[in-house]
Amino acid sequence: MALIVCKFGGSSVSDAASIQRVADRIVATKAGGNDVVAVVSAMGDTTDELVDLAQEISPDPPSREMDILLTAGERISMALLAIAIDARGVNAQAFTGQQAGVITDTSHGNARIIDVSPSRIQRTLGAGNVAIVAGFQGVTAHTNDVTTLGRGGSDTTAVALAAALGASVCEIYTDVDGVFTADPRIVPTARRIDRMTSEEMLELAANGAKILHLRAVEYARRYGVTLHVRSSFSDRTGTLVVPPDSTEEDTMEAPIISGVAHDPSQAKVTVVGIPDVPGMAARLFEVVAGAGVNVDMIVQNVSASATGLTDISFTLPASDVAAAHTALDQLRSEIAITDVRYNDQIGKLSLIGAGMRSHPGVSAKLFGALRDAGVNIEMISTSEIRISVVTAAADLDVAVRAVHTAFDLDAAEVEAVVYGGTGR
Ligand code: ADP
Ligand code: ASP
Ligand code: MG
């Protein structure tokens, strides 16, 4: 008997009819002789709606209370799914993250899983039941406070349970047929990828491809879990994301380019006229880090020798701009800075591929494609298997399509179907 851990995202459980469809799928898997653990997200855009509701009440809600609020979304869908399975004559029990043994650190809103003790899940499976688990949530080790794992975190719940229960594959059911060479909502000609390494998927996820939660990919890689990303709206085979030690990966020829990721949620800060002397960058980024801001790209200009001043630009999540603003206002009382400019109308495009390591000319081709599309590049950064550029937000979609075409990633015929979801 195999153990199947599967996860159903918000668009797969967005209303009663969708929940019934998911219940049919789970009952069929169980009837096939498998043990089933199903992790669920909140219905549709429930989490966003709860965030909006809290914002209407206070601009700065306490993170502990936000976590209690947001975990309510997953409690609704887990209970409804258990009820739907029970109505089909199959026993199912729903569990919160705490009941499932998901233990996290205390970082409310973005907690890390530090331990998984799924004894209650094992007991219910042993009794022949289907286990339904609320995704995206856990509980702190000592204080028993409810935490959330960061937006999109149900994927991570599923992978953590798969690892703890010894399932070799974790099925991630979503609203597209797998991982594509770009977001099918932006690039209708995107191609589905049959199989890819977790290394490439990490880069895609880290650079805005929200098809998988970044931590889920990290976790799967560390614990050797293969992910099968597929649609809950079709029976098509999806994408296998294989960990590094897998034999499949050894025999895989790395494609030069695996895909294009885009991230519209970043902002850019430019610190204008900061003294070009040792220690300034250190002080600037100490202050920014002290405010809990995650910096991504950094560019420093050549200083104007007449003034001895330079400019430093960096990107950060748009949601961190307010915290950065407060911290930099304080820095201006310590260091004479000419100006600080904030721009949240930017987008980041990243071209990713393990084969880039051994192929020259990839950057030149990327920049050429952007030139031909009339897109101006504001910043550039690279890693071994990635090149990222910042553009104006208004240019981002055009840029993604142009780069996708320039690297011959377009499918001969359109196969990318977006079955549901609002893309929010
Ligand atoms: P779920 O609610 O199932 O977790 P998400 O909205 O989090 O779904 O993730 C699925 C969405 O990810 C797709 O609808 C698609 O718009 C987006 N996406 C972004 N990049 C990619 C990609 N490279 N391949 C497939 N989907 C992508
Ligand atoms: N419901 C949570 C969110 O919208 C978690 C998830 O869907 O994975 O972010
Ligand atoms: Mg998701």
Side-chain angles (χ1 to χ4, degrees):
M1 182 182 280
L3 168 66
I4 310 273
V5 176
C6 45
K7 175 254 167 178
F8 296 90
S11 52
S12 299
V13 292
S14 61
D15 53 20
S18 311
I19 291 174
Q20 303 279 24
R21 208 187 48 238
V22 168
D24 284 336
R25 190 183 280 273
I26 291 173
V27 166
T29 308
K30 174 83 178 146
N34 303 291
D35 278 340
V36 185
V37 177
V39 174
V40 282
S41 294
M43 295 171 70
D45 291 333
T46 299
T47 310
D48 288 300
E49 286 156 11
L50 292 173
V51 169
D52 291 349
L53 200 54
Q55 285 291 327
E56 267 180 48
I57 288 168
S58 160
D60 191 19
S63 55
R64 180 185 178 281
E65 313 316 313
M66 275 308 284
D67 275 355
I68 295 185
L69 175 67
L70 297 189
T71 52
E74 272 69 13
R75 289 181 79 124
I76 294 171
S77 46
M78 75 171 188
L80 292 174
L81 182 57
I83 291 168
I85 293 172
D86 179 81
R88 286 159 174 73
V90 173
N91 293 329
Q93 283 192 319
F95 299 92
T96 63
Q98 175 170 21
Q99 290 172 323
V102 179
I103 314 295
T104 73
D105 66 14
T106 57
S107 313
H108 284 291
N110 200 20
R112 262 179 195 279
I113 295 178
I114 52 176
D115 193 20
V116 183
S117 324
S119 54
R120 286 194 72 177
I121 305 296
Q122 282 158 327
R123 277 206 300 281
T124 207
L125 292 175
N129 302 329
V130 170
I132 312 295
V133 179
F136 173 58
Q137 54 182 266
V139 66
T140 59
H142 302 297
T143 49
N144 268 4
D145 280 320
V146 170
T147 51
T148 61
L149 309 181
R151 298 304 308 272
S154 296
D155 297 336
T156 303
T157 304
V159 176
L161 280 171
L165 294 166
S168 55
V169 178
C170 179
E171 298 190 319
I172 307 283
Y173 285 94
T174 182
D175 54 13
V176 288
D177 279 309
V179 182
F180 284 76
T181 47
D183 185 344
R185 285 179 206 270
I186 309 293
V187 184
T189 50
R191 253 192 286 131
R192 189 180 57 77
I193 301 168
D194 282 334
R195 180 176 292 182
M196 66 196 301
T197 63
S198 43
E199 185 190 29
E200 289 165 302
M201 190 60 230
L202 274 177
E203 287 281 358
L204 280 172
N207 289 287
K210 69 170 186 151
I211 181 77
L212 283 172
H213 194 226
L214 176 60
R215 291 219 183 121
V217 188
E218 286 170 351
Y219 213 101
R221 176 181 159 108
R222 178 150 6 111
Y223 291 93
V225 177
T226 294
L227 304 176
H228 183 184
V229 182
R230 57 190 303 191
S231 169
S232 71
F233 298 80
S234 81
D235 284 321
R236 296 189 192 163
T237 304
T239 300
L240 289 183
V241 182
V242 296
D245 59 348
S246 117
T247 48
E248 284 120 347
E249 193 203 11
D250 294 341
T251 57
M252 273 168 76
E253 173 131 358
I256 299 174
I257 301 302
S258 48
V260 186
H262 74 285
D263 185 356
S265 70
Q266 298 241 320
K268 183 169 84 165
V269 174
T270 305
V271 179
V272 183
I274 185 168
D276 192 9
V277 295
M280 283 300 142
R283 186 68 196 123
L284 168 62
F285 289 105
E286 262 165 28
V287 165
V288 171
V293 171
N294 248 325
V295 169
D296 181 14
M297 292 190 200
I298 301 174
V299 172
Q300 175 172 334
N301 284 351
V302 175
S303 77
S305 50
T307 59
L309 298 176
T310 189
D311 301 341
I312 297 180
S313 296
F314 59 90
T315 60
L316 69 173
S319 53
D320 283 352
V321 166
H325 207 310
T326 310
L328 290 172
D329 279 351
Q330 276 168 12
L331 185 69
R332 292 184 75 172
S333 60
E334 183 189 319
I335 300 174
I337 291 170
T338 311
D339 195 11
V340 184
R341 294 186 193 136
Y342 299 89
N343 179 2
D344 62 6
Q345 293 304 304
I346 63 156
K348 185 170 94 169
L349 174 153
S350 301
L351 184 69
I352 288 143
M356 235 181 240
R357 285 191 184 103
S358 50
H359 276 81
V362 175
S363 342
K365 192 165 174 180
L366 168 65
F367 303 151
L370 295 172
R371 174 202 57 213
D372 295 346
V375 172
N376 189 43
I377 302 170
E378 296 186 16
M379 291 169 99
I380 301 169
S381 83
T382 59
S383 83
E384 245 198 329
I385 66 165
R386 173 183 54 81
I387 307 169
S388 299
V389 296
V390 167
T391 70
D395 288 342
L396 185 59
D397 290 2
V398 167
V400 171
R401 286 191 281 266
V403 170
H404 194 268
T405 301
F407 282 89
D408 291 327
L409 297 172
D410 290 327
E413 50 192 283
V414 175
E415 64 156 340
V417 186
V418 178
Y419 295 94
T422 58
R424 199 175 162 182

